[in-house]
Amino acid sequence: IALTMFATPAHAMPNKFKGCPNVKQNGITYMLYQRCAIVRKTPNQKRVVIPNRIKVRGKVYTVRSIWDHTFEMTSKLRIVDLRAIDLEAIEDPAIFNNHKIKVVAHDMATYKWLKRSGVNVTLKR
């Protein structure tokens, strides 16, 4: 799995994502694209769990990305429990720049990538 970080303005949404439906589950807002779920916003809680998959109207969507500005309004956030083992990109720099946020990774590839990137991360299996 090749994991990358992007820094793109919030208004620069690619055309393929315009008009995609948004759903909210457990306080997290996701944008649905094909069979992928993209995390768009999380609640202002101390701990947020980002699952590997979500189910919407009988269809399963794999969480593949965390969008830019996802954690923008989360001043209370201290732990991101990242269960999304099929994650391909984290676009929100808060994960990389805010060392008050601890990330709990559930797979070795994500753990190693985040550790190399300077993220405050631990591995839980």
Side-chain angles (χ1 to χ4, degrees):
I1 297 174
L3 296 170
T4 56
M5 182 182 94
F6 304 101
T8 57
H11 66 276
M13 181 182 290
N15 285 334
K16 69 180 180 180
F17 295 127
K18 291 181 180 174
C20 288
N22 287 287
V23 297
K24 194 171 188 176
Q25 288 187 2
N26 300 320
I28 299 174
T29 302
Y30 302 91
M31 178 174 55
L32 305 178
Y33 175 73
Q34 296 175 354
R35 289 295 188 147
C36 299
I38 300 165
V39 180
R40 297 280 316 267
K41 186 178 177 185
T42 60
N44 191 17
Q45 298 174 344
K46 183 178 178 181
R47 181 175 181 264
V48 172
V49 176
I50 298 179
N52 192 44
R53 292 181 177 82
I54 62 170
K55 192 171 186 177
V56 179
R57 293 183 291 281
K59 292 183 181 178
V60 176
Y61 296 84
T62 302
V63 177
R64 296 282 187 185
S65 180
I66 298 174
W67 204 269
D68 196 15
H69 300 286
T70 295
F71 305 110
E72 189 171 57
M73 303 302 288
T74 56
S75 60
K76 295 178 185 176
L77 184 63
R78 294 295 175 262
I79 299 170
V80 175
D81 190 343
L82 193 55
R83 297 179 184 189
I85 62 172
D86 295 312
L87 200 63
E88 295 174 355
I90 297 176
E91 299 175 10
D92 193 331
I95 290 289
F96 300 91
N97 300 332
N98 186 344
H99 292 286
K100 291 180 182 175
I101 298 175
K102 177 182 174 183
V103 178
V104 178
H106 289 258
D107 68 292
M108 187 58 79
T110 302
Y111 169 77
K112 286 181 177 179
W113 170 66
L114 291 173
K115 192 73 169 170
R116 280 192 312 270
S117 300
V119 175
N120 180 9
V121 61
T122 60
L123 179 64
K124 181 177 183 181
R125 291 190 175 218

